[in-house]
Amino acid sequence: MSRVGKVPVTVPSGIEVKVEGTELIAKKGNLEKRLETHGRVNMEIKDNEVVFTRKDDSKESSAFWGTYRSLFNNIVIGLDQGFKKSLEINGVGYRANVNGKTLELQLGYSHPINFEIPEGIEIKVEKNIITVSGTDKQQVGQVAAEIRGFRPPEPYKGKGVKYTDEVIIRKAGKAAGK
């Protein structure tokens, strides 16, 4: 039985929540996020809380119960505070800067990498730290993973793009001659 699904989602002030059929809509100002549940769970709004309940006692229903509760909680947190991921660039000559809606990266290739910043994502660059922020947790994580994918950190010198909280396990280099 899901322990995640039992906990109601508390909606902070300033965020409006309503149910339209099988869809849950959260709105803050002009930002609107929708969660389509496809009728897999029951949901109701009590006071400032959204309570999710299972449709039946099947294993699938229990799984959807916790999943949709988590997805909606992420929507509420995203609208209230937002999500952030930080990436660090290590390497001689490795640089990044934001030019309009494009992130320009120089990561040791013969050409610069121009990454188009998607709608709803904000990217800031300070020295060698790239900060990706936005209201959608999945989108923030995906954009950060794509940027990291241009030059993943290598294990010998640690050069490349890594998350700031990521630990790169180093390998020993070539052994000296006999």
Side-chain angles (χ1 to χ4, degrees), residues 89 95-99 103-105 123-132:
I89 299 175
R95 296 190 294 280
N97 64 318
V98 177
N99 192 358
L103 175 68
E104 295 173 353
L105 298 162
I123 296 180
K124 292 179 185 166
V125 177
E126 292 176 16
K127 293 188 181 178
N128 65 336
I129 306 288
I130 301 170
T131 307
V132 181

Side-chain angles (χ1 to χ4, degrees), residues 40 56-65:
R40 293 177 177 139
D56 50 43
D57 288 334
S58 68
K59 193 173 184 179
E60 187 182 58
S61 179
S62 186
F64 284 130
W65 182 33

Side-chain angles (χ1 to χ4, degrees), residues 9 31 36 50 66 70 89 91 93 102 131 137 141 146 159 164 168:
V9 178
L31 273 176
E36 177 60 58
V50 178
S70 264
I89 299 175
T102 306
T131 307
K137 185 176 188 176
E146 286 174 16
K159 289 169 52 173
T164 51
I168 306 300

Side-chain angles (χ1 to χ4, degrees), residues 20-158:
E20 278 184 12
T22 60
E23 204 169 38
L24 208 60
I25 301 165
K27 195 172 182 181
K28 181 177 183 182
N30 60 352
L31 273 176
E32 182 180 88
K33 299 281 183 181
R34 295 172 173 264
L35 177 65
E36 177 60 58
T37 62
H38 302 287
R40 293 177 177 139
V41 291
N42 297 321
M43 52 210 159
E44 58 180 302
I45 301 167
K46 293 181 182 173
D47 302 325
N48 272 355
E49 293 183 331
V50 178
V51 180
F52 290 85
T53 52
R54 300 186 312 178
K55 279 275 190 206
D56 50 43
D57 288 334
S58 68
K59 193 173 184 179
E60 187 182 58
S61 179
S62 186
F64 284 130
W65 182 33
T67 301
Y68 284 122
R69 188 259 174 216
S70 264
L71 291 173
F72 187 69
N73 190 45
N74 287 341
I75 287 173
V76 169
I77 292 170
L79 288 174
D80 191 34
Q81 303 159 358
F83 292 99
K84 224 180 240 187
K85 287 251 185 203
S86 295
L87 298 149
E88 185 179 341
I89 299 175
N90 292 325
V92 178
Y94 289 13
R95 296 190 294 280
N97 64 318
V98 177
N99 192 358
K101 292 293 282 174
T102 306
L103 175 68
E104 295 173 353
L105 298 162
Q106 293 174 339
L107 299 173
Y109 295 116
S110 60
H111 56 85
I113 298 166
N114 295 322
F115 179 73
E116 290 296 319
I117 301 171
E119 196 66 37
I121 294 291
E122 188 178 311
I123 296 180
K124 292 179 185 166
V125 177
E126 292 176 16
K127 293 188 181 178
N128 65 336
I129 306 288
I130 301 170
T131 307
V132 181
S133 58
T135 58
D136 187 347
K137 185 176 188 176
Q138 191 272 332
Q139 191 181 23
V140 169
Q142 183 65 40
V143 168
E146 286 174 16
I147 293 170
R148 182 186 182 275
F150 291 131
R151 179 70 92 175
E154 51 95 14
Y156 297 101
K157 291 185 179 178

